[in-house]
Amino acid sequence: MWLQERHPAIVVSYLWLESEGDQFIERSLADAGGKGLFAKAIERALLDGKADLAVHSLKDLPTKLTKGLVLAAIPPREDPRDCLVSRSGASRIEDLPQGAALGTASPRRAAQALRLRPDLRIELIRGNVQTRLRKTLEPVQAGGKHYDATLMAMAGLSRAGLTPHMRFPLEPDVMLPAAGQGALALQCRGDDHVTMQRVLPLNHPITAQAVELERQIIDGLRGDCHSPIAAFAEPVQIDGATGYRLRARVLSSDGKECIEAEDQAAGKAMRKLAAGILKMLESKGAPQLLARR
């Protein structure tokens, strides 16, 4: 849609693919092969020349980019927050029933929820947005798992047209988002300069800088799909200039231990912002905490 608005002469056709991440919905991402499963089939189509452009949810892309491919543009970010969806209509994690079953496949979400409510039972839930909503809200089928609640990305619900389920967003102080959450990534082959030039105007520099800072944190901690790591950068005004407030949180899988760091910077100091956060996390023992998972 965006490309056709800017380049009316080109014809955009869609190549529908089922990712490996969607095929193994009964296994955790860590067991199935990691977040990169959502991108592999799409990236293969790009490299094979079957597609010229891919649109990813940025948080599903590993920080190490596939050789031969580039991120050509990052459009404006949607709401980066998570939200709570529950059978009881609870608006906060604290309001869920005692011992409630929380469905999630995200170590980051699970650890932060357990940090607030150690009594919760974390149950694996996989599938697309509609599937997870159905499993959480509809009557339990024979032999199926019961879920009292789940956590979902506000942006994912919005893109799926499921705005009625976006009633109870969780602020970053409660549930710090995943790196890149709410952002899309437009990817193409590194040698396809025509496509790169066409999509470059779709890039939103403020979003692109924010998610780059977040991904530097994940990369610096050698994070993967097993890692309960959250990172969030938001634009702020510092002495009249646009800068960023960067927050990071590393947790034990049970939420009992939490290491946090934050700072803000603008201008030339921006280059050292992520490195400074990483130093803070390292000095507090974040690498050792992650190694114990």
Side-chain angles (χ1 to χ4, degrees):
M1 183 189 303
W2 302 321
L3 283 177
Q4 285 181 316
E5 288 175 355
R6 294 174 181 272
H7 305 281
I10 70 170
V11 176
V12 176
S13 58
Y14 295 92
L15 176 64
W16 300 107
L17 298 170
E18 183 180 39
S19 74
E20 293 177 55
D22 292 321
Q23 293 169 14
F24 301 113
I25 62 171
E26 300 305 321
R27 298 162 61 189
S28 71
L29 280 178
D31 293 337
K35 278 190 172 186
L37 287 177
F38 288 108
K40 281 183 179 178
I42 299 171
E43 291 188 328
R44 196 175 302 123
L46 285 174
L47 292 170
D48 291 345
K50 296 178 181 177
D52 299 302
L53 180 69
V55 181
H56 299 277
S57 175
L58 181 58
K59 71 175 183 176
D60 291 334
L61 279 181
T63 56
K64 299 296 185 186
L65 297 179
T66 299
K67 185 178 180 180
L69 300 178
V70 297
L71 298 186
I74 308 292
R77 191 178 210 165
E78 294 192 46
D79 194 324
R81 296 175 295 176
D82 288 297
C83 72
L84 179 67
V85 178
S86 70
R87 288 180 183 271
S88 66
S91 61
R92 305 184 308 155
I93 293 173
E94 293 92 332
D95 297 332
L96 292 173
Q98 184 71 20
L102 178 69
T104 182
S106 164
R108 173 190 62 85
R109 288 173 175 154
Q112 292 187 91
L114 289 170
R115 182 186 181 213
L116 294 172
R117 288 284 305 274
D119 61 291
L120 295 177
R121 292 187 296 111
I122 303 299
E123 297 285 353
L124 176 67
I125 189 171
R126 290 282 314 281
N128 60 27
V129 173
Q130 292 86 348
T131 298
R132 284 179 283 150
L133 285 174
R134 174 179 54 77
K135 288 180 177 180
T136 302
L137 299 176
E138 293 183 6
V140 181
Q141 301 297 314
K145 282 186 178 179
H146 172 87
Y147 301 98
D148 293 293
T150 191
L151 297 167
M152 309 192 80
M154 293 280 283
L157 290 169
S158 175
R159 290 172 191 143
L162 298 166
T163 53
H165 298 287
M166 299 168 60
R167 291 184 299 154
F168 303 123
L170 303 175
E171 294 304 317
D173 286 344
V174 174
M175 182 70 57
L176 200 65
Q181 185 157 304
L184 296 175
L186 306 187
Q187 186 183 43
C188 67
R189 292 182 298 278
D191 59 1
D192 186 353
H193 301 291
V194 172
T195 298
M196 277 192 275
Q197 287 297 319
R198 284 173 171 167
V199 302
L200 186 59
L202 302 176
N203 189 60
H204 187 247
I206 293 176
T207 297
Q209 178 65 73
V211 298
E212 173 61 23
L213 289 168
E214 295 163 9
R215 285 165 66 83
Q216 285 178 28
I217 298 299
I218 305 302
D219 190 49
L221 291 170
R222 296 180 176 84
D224 57 28
C225 57
H226 299 271
S227 307
I229 305 173
F232 179 49
E234 54 189 329
V236 293
Q237 288 296 307
I238 302 174
D239 298 329
T242 298
Y244 293 84
R245 176 192 182 195
L246 177 59
R247 287 179 275 178
R249 187 175 288 168
V250 178
L251 304 101
S252 60
S253 58
D254 59 8
K256 292 180 179 179
E257 297 178 76
C258 179
I259 295 172
E260 297 180 284
E262 78 165 75
D263 199 0
Q264 60 183 30
K268 293 181 179 179
M270 285 277 303
R271 294 179 223 164
K272 299 180 180 180
L273 181 56
I277 293 290
L278 286 167
K279 284 184 179 179
M280 291 183 211
L281 293 172
E282 289 167 5
S283 69
K284 296 178 180 181
Q288 292 79 6
L289 179 57
L290 291 169
R292 296 205 307 266
R293 65 176 182 243

